[in-house]
Amino acid sequence: MEKEKPLISFIIATYNLPATLLEECVSSILAVTLPAYEREIIVVDDGSAPPAIDVLKKYLEEIVYVRQTNGGLSSARNRGISLAQGEYIQFVDGDDHLWAGLYNQYIDKVRTDHPDILTFPLSDSEAEPTAEVVFQAPQEGHEYLLHNNLRASACGYLFRRSLLMDLRFSTLLHEDEEFTPLLFLRADRLISADASPYYYRRRQQSITHDDSREWIERRLTDMHTVILRLQHKAATLPTAYREALQRRVHQLTMDYMYIIITSTHDPSLLEKSIEQLRSEGLFPLPDKGYTTKYSWFRRLSSNSMGRRLLFQILKKR
């Protein structure tokens, strides 16, 4: 008799994390109300020194552990995808954890409504949430993208593994910004919720807090590449899907300029980048009422005087 596949594969990517954080992450998943046969925990050790298995020995009967040469977060997640057998996938970074009580409500929703994607916010609050989750009515993924700001983190949703097909994470920084909208476009049934079952830990040692000029330049280069890839993809899609992905392209372009201002404080770099964006059909930002922030940023960024004002407004951020 064929072995029953798990309901959820939890994929944990880890690299040189403190033992206490990694243990807390695994323990939080084990606390979720799922019988062992419905739960698969895949830990991908991306070349930690010492190996992460040294702190996970007591969990060996509960996890699938695989170690690889350091290749980065995308490589680790893709390795996890290749091993996953669950009907659904949940990414959990090794220094984060789930709030089991709240996550159980999401599992119940998966069992009753069978969504392709169940999306939720992340939280950095150390207080465990106790609220009852409010779920929105199901909608198609492209409709969600068209009418909502996207929280791109791949940890912020539970999704059906069959949606992936050939979709994988790229090796660029901002890999979630490319992966998530393309995944959402494939969903016929997406449900969003308002409460966070996922604790996102802000650590100064994290690469997202690296403020060296070299790292900022790499981040900007990779973000620009992601924007161009999504723009190219949008051009190949039917109208409704194209408009949905274009919203993401426009907002990422705004974020790209925002990061230049707040991270480099370099007006000449912003002007040079704007000329590049203009040649690619990405500037000026189109007049869309996506959000209040988008509207005022679009207006101010459209002329040199407004851009000088942006530097003054954002210089302390």
Side-chain angles (χ1 to χ4, degrees):
M1 184 175 179
E2 185 178 355
K3 183 180 177 181
E4 188 173 355
K5 293 187 181 300
L7 178 65
I8 303 175
S9 293
F10 298 90
I11 298 176
I12 303 173
T14 182
Y15 174 68
N16 285 352
L17 289 176
T20 54
L21 298 187
L22 187 54
E23 286 187 80
E24 184 178 13
C25 178
V26 174
S27 294
S28 75
I29 297 172
L30 290 173
V32 170
T33 306
L34 277 172
Y37 69 89
E38 285 195 314
R39 178 189 64 228
E40 179 180 51
I41 303 175
I42 301 171
V43 179
V44 183
D45 179 357
D46 192 39
S48 298
I53 192 62
D54 291 356
V55 301
L56 295 175
K57 289 178 180 177
K58 64 182 179 182
Y59 300 110
L60 283 181
E61 293 185 1
E62 306 285 356
I63 67 174
V64 175
Y65 174 84
V66 59
R67 179 173 168 82
Q68 64 178 30
T69 303
N70 180 247
L73 178 60
S74 293
S75 173
R77 285 177 173 171
N78 288 339
R79 183 73 178 277
I81 288 171
S82 71
L83 297 170
Q85 297 295 311
E87 182 180 354
Y88 288 87
I89 288 177
Q90 171 72 63
F91 291 109
V92 186
D93 288 345
D95 50 353
D96 300 337
H97 64 256
L98 301 179
W99 295 115
L102 200 61
Y103 199 85
N104 287 334
Q105 295 184 50
Y106 288 84
I107 293 174
D108 290 343
K109 193 67 173 176
V110 164
R111 293 188 192 280
T112 59
D113 282 35
H114 311 289
D116 293 325
I117 296 176
L118 185 52
T119 182
F120 44 79
L122 307 183
S123 173
D124 60 359
S125 171
E126 295 185 2
E128 182 173 1
T130 57
E132 190 75 18
V133 182
V134 175
F135 295 100
Q136 301 300 315
Q139 58 187 309
E140 292 186 56
H142 73 275
E143 285 292 326
Y144 180 87
L145 286 177
L146 185 60
H147 298 294
N148 294 274
N149 275 358
L150 182 66
R151 298 183 294 265
S153 171
C155 297
Y157 48 86
L158 181 63
F159 69 96
R160 194 180 293 277
R161 182 166 60 94
S162 60
L163 287 183
L164 284 169
M165 294 179 280
D166 61 346
L167 181 61
R168 296 294 184 273
F169 292 93
S170 76
T171 56
L172 298 170
L173 299 177
H174 295 279
E175 66 280 350
D176 291 6
E177 298 287 8
E178 183 174 21
F179 179 90
T180 297
L182 295 180
L183 182 71
F184 277 35
L185 285 176
R186 301 178 180 205
D188 292 326
R189 187 173 175 82
L190 181 149
I191 297 175
S192 61
D194 65 339
S196 176
Y198 188 105
Y199 173 66
Y200 165 70
R201 192 184 307 274
R202 298 183 183 273
R203 294 195 307 130
Q204 289 304 314
Q205 298 90 335
S206 168
I207 61 172
T208 59
H209 290 93
D210 191 332
D211 59 359
S212 67
R213 182 68 183 218
E214 179 182 2
W215 187 260
I216 290 169
E217 288 178 355
R218 181 187 167 190
R219 180 184 179 192
L220 289 169
T221 297
D222 284 4
M223 188 173 188
H224 181 230
T225 300
V226 167
I227 292 169
L228 291 178
R229 286 183 177 183
L230 293 178
Q231 180 193 40
H232 175 74
K233 179 65 176 180
T236 69
L237 298 175
T239 301
Y241 290 81
R242 181 172 65 250
E243 291 177 353
L245 192 53
Q246 281 176 336
R247 170 170 178 159
R248 193 64 195 148
V249 168
H250 300 154
Q251 290 182 302
L252 281 176
T253 303
M254 178 190 73
D255 291 344
Y256 174 71
M257 291 188 285
Y258 182 93
I259 291 170
I260 291 173
I261 295 170
T262 57
S263 297
T264 72
H265 310 289
D266 186 345
S268 63
L269 178 59
L270 179 63
E271 295 304 317
K272 180 180 178 181
S273 299
I274 282 175
E275 288 310 306
Q276 180 68 34
L277 293 172
R278 193 190 303 275
S279 71
E280 295 159 346
L282 292 165
F283 187 86
L285 295 171
D287 186 3
K288 302 283 188 179
Y290 296 141
T291 64
T292 300
K293 178 182 177 181
Y294 177 90
S295 295
W296 70 254
F297 192 97
R298 182 196 65 79
R299 289 194 296 269
L300 289 176
S301 66
S302 64
N303 60 81
S304 58
M305 183 178 296
R307 292 193 288 274
R308 287 195 295 271
L309 182 57
L310 277 172
F311 272 96
Q312 290 297 315
I313 294 171
L314 301 174
K315 65 181 178 180
K316 295 183 179 180
R317 300 195 180 188

